Amino acid sequence: MTLSLYVPVASPVHRAPAGLKLGLLAALAVALFLVDRLPVAAGTLAAVLLAGLGAARIPGRTLLAQVRPVWPWLVVLLVFHLVVTDWHTGALVVLRLLTLVAAAAVVTATTRVTELVAVVEWLARPLALVGVRPARVGLVIAMTLRFVPLIAERAHRIREAQAARGATGMRWGVLVPLLIQVLRLAHTLGEALDARGADAPAPPPRRRAAASPP
Amino acid sequence: MKSRDLAYVALFAAITAVLGLLPAVPVPGIPVPITAQTLGVMLAGSVLGARRGGLAMLTFLAVVAAGVPLLSGGRGGLAVFVGPSAGYLYSWPLAAFVIGLLTQLTWRRFTLAWAAVANLVGGVAVIYALGIPFTSLYGDVSLSAAATGALSFVPGDLVKAGIASVVAVAVRRAHPVIELPGRRPAAG
């Protein structure tokens, strides 16, 4: 299992700040729904492909693999519109979708997971006003990535143990012992984090010091 | 939030990811095969409660958006958030929150029946209530057409709600995570 969809190449698209790329993607998502002329939509798709395949040098196969899951939807939508509305609407809907999915795939392939996590932490900064600490957002994401292989391994072990006792084919029987095991593990992990000072109060925000009377 | 809660949140984000690794069951006539992944949404809500369950799903979506292919079928990245079925994804945090809320309300007498109510309302109704209008808006198809398309997922979702309910009741007995405010034994 590859744990990232990043394609390591040196290109201007790769070097662009992750926040900028995400901002552009969000703007594109809004703009595409305001466009209802086919040439404009087709031109946007061409521009996205040019940026991805040309400027960023993402292999065509990688891009295609990311777009593949939406193919069935494209076909269903196109057929629906050919039958119910007209070909123009159908083509527009499909172009919009393809453009957005391709653009998102380009951003994903040219931006490292760590950079995107940093953007998530940055986006979480306003939440500090309601008591969320951005650094802990990063900690939770790191723990999630570590837990994935660990849970898969525990599940495998429990299935083996059940099979050794003659229990075959009870696929969902794994869930309860697995959940109890990993819940205890998470409980212990939380205590270990606290023991290392992870629950220490956050340093007070700077503006509070400035606002206090001399 | 205590560090333990953060670990629980990360844990259920990861459990949802692992459930996505299970092979999907293809159903003839539907573009997307049935996966075990929404079972993670239901378990997060009915084991962790509203707040932590919702946060676990937000974490999961953030990790997927960051480009880790944890959605069923090895999908991930930002592309899945702009597809026609993205509304279902966006509904997951709210779904887990609603399941958690209903679970907390019935926690003192949390039987299989209450668990099933929570999982059906939050894990099935909420998800469709957000997913169907999104597909309809996105694909310029009528609401009823989008709903007809979603209908084929209902049997699988009912089965998942059943499994989640049985598991949630069993886990509550062995390792209860939800603590209700107010009724804790007085600290000495």
Side-chain angles (χ1 to χ4, degrees):
Chain A
M1 187 178 100
T2 50
L3 262 181
S4 171
L5 299 168
Y6 180 72
V7 179
V9 178
S11 88
V13 183
H14 282 73
R15 277 193 299 274
L20 175 70
K21 283 185 270 191
L22 282 173
L24 283 177
L25 182 66
L28 184 69
V30 175
L32 270 175
F33 280 88
L34 303 176
V35 168
D36 52 3
R37 288 182 51 223
L38 271 183
V40 182
T44 318
L45 177 61
V48 167
L49 290 180
L50 210 65
L53 299 172
R57 298 204 305 281
I58 303 165
R61 200 186 301 156
T62 309
L63 210 56
L64 208 64
Q66 283 231 54
V67 178
R68 196 174 298 137
V70 297
W71 278 129
W73 285 97
L74 290 185
V75 176
V76 169
L77 282 176
L78 195 62
V79 170
F80 175 86
H81 281 290
L82 285 179
V83 174
V84 179
T85 58
D86 57 314
W87 70 269
H88 184 270
T89 319
L92 197 65
V93 164
V94 167
L95 268 178
R96 243 180 224 162
L97 202 154
L98 256 183
T99 311
L100 266 185
V101 171
V106 169
V107 174
T108 307
T110 59
T111 318
R112 284 178 199 281
V113 172
T114 47
E115 285 180 73
L116 286 167
V117 170
V119 174
V120 172
E121 277 190 29
W122 181 79
L123 286 172
R125 268 165 57 180
L127 294 179
L129 293 176
V130 291
V132 177
R133 272 176 273 162
R136 309 194 87 182
V137 175
L139 174 68
V140 169
I141 291 178
M143 281 197 282
T144 304
L145 293 176
R146 180 62 194 97
F147 271 140
V148 171
L150 190 135
I151 294 168
E153 190 255 341
R154 289 282 166 110
H156 182 70
R157 225 192 273 170
I158 293 172
R159 282 194 81 175
E160 276 186 342
Q162 289 181 340
R165 281 181 256 124
T168 49
M170 33 179 315
R171 200 158 179 177
W172 302 111
V174 175
L175 270 174
V176 174
L178 177 67
L179 280 183
I180 293 165
Q181 260 195 30
V182 292
L183 277 170
R184 289 200 179 132
L185 194 94
H187 188 103
T188 315
L189 178 67
E191 283 174 353
L193 279 170
D194 281 345
R196 284 161 182 75
D199 65 337
R206 249 173 258 143
R207 59 185 161 70
R208 194 179 295 167
S212 64
Chain B
M1 247 193 183
K2 291 179 182 165
S3 298
R4 192 192 345 129
D5 298 319
L6 299 186
Y8 283 148
V9 165
L11 182 70
F12 275 81
I15 285 170
T16 309
V18 173
L19 285 167
L21 299 177
L22 295 178
V25 184
V27 179
I30 316 173
V32 184
I34 287 181
T35 71
Q37 206 142 35
T38 44
L39 190 58
V41 183
M42 298 174 184
L43 289 175
S46 50
V47 174
L48 294 186
R51 196 154 161 246
R52 289 173 293 191
L55 284 175
M57 288 306 109
L58 275 182
T59 306
F60 175 74
L61 293 185
V63 172
V64 170
V68 188
L70 293 180
L71 278 185
S72 57
R75 291 173 302 138
L78 295 160
V80 295
F81 289 92
V82 291
S85 58
Y88 293 97
L89 279 187
Y90 291 125
S91 75
W92 288 4
L94 183 68
F97 187 87
V98 170
I99 296 169
L101 208 61
L102 292 173
T103 304
Q104 284 169 341
L105 284 176
T106 57
W107 188 242
R108 287 188 217 292
R109 50 190 72 191
F110 191 65
T111 55
L112 195 58
W114 283 121
V117 168
N119 281 308
L120 288 174
V121 173
V124 184
V126 169
I127 289 181
Y128 285 99
L130 264 78
I132 292 172
F134 189 93
T135 307
S136 154
L137 273 178
Y138 195 100
D140 250 336
V141 290
S142 65
L143 264 181
S144 57
T148 315
L151 211 62
S152 37
F153 291 100
V154 172
D157 281 337
L158 295 181
V159 172
K160 278 182 267 183
I163 294 171
S165 305
V166 172
V167 172
V169 170
V171 170
R172 176 183 182 265
R173 230 175 278 139
H175 188 111
V177 175
I178 295 173
E179 289 167 359
L180 295 179
R183 283 260 192 112
R184 261 176 246 166

